Amino acid sequence: MKKLLSIGLMTIVVMACVKKEVSMMPAISKADLETAVIYEANIRQYSPEGTFEKFTKDIPELKKLGVKILWLMPIFPISQTNRKATGGADSKFASEFPLEEQSKYLGSYYAISDYTKINPEFGTIEDFRELITTAHEHGIYVILDWVPNHTGWDHTWLSTHRDYYTQNEEGQVIHPKDTDWTDTADLNYDNPKMREQMISEMKYWIQQEDIDGFRCDVAGSVPTSFWKTAIPELRAEKDIFMLAEAWEPELMEDSLFDMAYAWDGHHLMNSLAKGEKTIEDLKTYINRTYSERYAEDDILMNFVTNHDENSWSGTIQERMGAQAELMTVVSYILPGMPLIYSGQEYDLNYRLKFFEKDSIPKTKGKMFALLEKLGKLKNNYSALNGGKQKATFEVLESTDEVFVLKRNKGTQTLLLISNFSNTPSQVTLSEKGSFTDYMSGASLEINGLPISLEAFTYKILIN
């Protein structure tokens, strides 16, 4: 009997080890950050079913786009109390609508009731684990959208630790100041016990579920002193990737966050597309951003859309119109890491509902092919390295309508030649040499002769 028990225990240990080995992949490296494309996954709206299972089946498709980091929008249960139905200054709760309508209002992903549970709408913890395993098998890291600034009103801390929350003079817990986030309760970072508990619950997902990092919501609204304590403790568990939804350079100092948002770049691209800004503004942005504001090894996430922009500010087409493709290309060529948001690869051209069930299209069109080609270039061409050892960049002399950016690393050089005007244009470059037009595959000799570009078009030249 003892022999049989020993064999049984050994079998269990071996099976556990095999399972662990299958799900393990090397820790994210600096080399990965040079060539990565990041994908924001909106599980609720990704499929008609809105489940982990349906999303997991498409992970091989994301691999085709050069995706190396998968950012999952919050996967946690959503509070039922004060569940949002509409947004904006005049937002309403689901409870303000007729009873028969209330169930369709699912609330905000960012009003979390429990940091250590899975939203049952998306599936089970086993479904989540299968997503992680599948992503790892395809060489894709998975980061969770973490909401450290506030919780939903159903969170158990409100009944067990009210001192974890910001309170007014009457002792009432309040929602985050100067926001319309009335479906959430503001956390009190003056309380060291709350800080400890927050770090513990972040560690849970690293220790128990093998996740690879966090995208931290409104990270700049949380005291930097918290991140100085939290991030080293988290990295002691695993070499994780940290993305801050913030622009503040200090959040990337002292090996804190790996990457922040290129908010100024995003707003500039919107303004360029509307004709409110010029190429001179783009040149100023590049000089100020990469040479003055941020350190040489800081990484910025470049994007033309994300969940907030799509739902609240408008689709790429609404904001960028005829320049949508050009701005997408710019987001890949600028130093940093490009973002794809769910549906962008399928030419999504409507605003996804934020508090209700919706679904993205799933027909491959022009954008999938474009992102696939750009992803391959980003993954494999060192002149587009955008991490801590990024390729050099230089704005070349051109005309008022044409923007030319040169990227170089080692023996590889890339030129982006882009016409931001609504009429055909020509440019003559001082740069000389033999290049390949990456998008068409044609050879091109730059020898002092003018290069012609149609309105709002571009050339990506590589040698």
Side-chain angles (χ1 to χ4, degrees), residues 89-228:
D90 59 347
S91 59
K92 294 183 178 181
F93 300 124
S95 58
E96 298 179 64
F97 288 82
L99 187 61
E100 62 272 16
E101 293 182 25
Q102 292 179 15
S103 62
K104 76 174 185 177
Y105 300 116
L106 304 176
S108 169
Y109 316 83
Y110 296 87
I112 292 166
S113 64
D114 194 323
Y115 286 114
T116 61
K117 297 290 191 302
I118 292 289
N119 186 341
E121 298 172 31
F122 299 160
T124 65
I125 188 65
E126 288 75 20
D127 295 330
F128 173 75
R129 289 168 180 163
E130 181 62 24
L131 187 159
I132 299 291
T133 299
T134 302
H136 284 177
E137 288 172 349
H138 285 82
I140 298 174
Y141 298 95
V142 182
I143 66 173
L144 299 187
D145 202 329
W146 196 261
V147 188
N149 186 64
H150 46 266
T151 74
W153 292 98
D154 288 351
H155 201 289
T156 55
W157 290 351
L158 279 158
S159 58
T160 60
H161 297 287
R162 284 180 65 83
D163 57 324
Y164 282 10
Y165 293 88
T166 306
Q167 301 177 33
N168 61 20
E169 294 178 355
E170 289 75 38
Q172 299 168 323
V173 175
I174 61 174
H175 74 270
K177 186 180 179 181
D178 300 325
T179 74
D180 65 342
W181 306 339
T182 51
D183 54 342
T184 66
D186 192 61
L187 286 166
N188 173 22
Y189 274 83
D190 291 334
N191 188 321
K193 292 294 185 183
M194 189 281 291
R195 291 185 178 213
E196 291 175 10
Q197 188 63 38
M198 182 65 71
I199 295 170
S200 175
E201 304 209 352
M202 295 178 83
K203 284 182 180 179
Y204 168 85
W205 292 96
I206 301 173
Q207 296 168 340
Q208 301 299 317
E209 303 302 339
D210 199 26
I211 63 101
D212 303 299
F214 299 95
R215 175 268 187 188
C216 296
D217 189 60
V218 290
S221 296
V222 173
T224 304
S225 60
F226 170 74
W227 298 121
K228 288 181 177 180

Side-chain angles (χ1 to χ4, degrees), residues 337-356:
M337 186 185 300
L339 169 73
I340 301 172
Y341 172 52
S342 289
Q344 183 181 347
E345 70 271 39
Y346 293 112
D347 302 278
L348 175 67
N349 195 23
Y350 55 87
R351 301 187 187 197
L352 289 170
K353 296 174 183 177
F354 199 82
F355 303 109
E356 301 175 52

Side-chain angles (χ1 to χ4, degrees), residues 264-279 281-282 303-304 315-328 330 419-422 456:
D264 287 350
H266 174 73
H267 295 313
L268 174 60
M269 285 190 284
N270 283 333
S271 296
L272 282 167
K274 294 174 184 175
E276 299 168 349
K277 298 287 185 180
T278 67
I279 289 176
D281 294 303
L282 177 57
F303 57 99
V304 294
T315 67
I316 302 173
Q317 290 296 331
E318 284 180 273
R319 290 179 285 105
M320 298 178 172
Q323 298 190 58
E325 180 175 336
L326 173 57
M327 296 304 172
T328 300
V330 169
N419 180 10
F420 279 76
S421 73
N422 59 4
F456 302 139

Side-chain angles (χ1 to χ4, degrees), residues 3 56 86 122 320 392 440:
K3 185 176 181 180
T56 300
T86 64
F122 299 160
M320 298 178 172
T392 62
S440 70

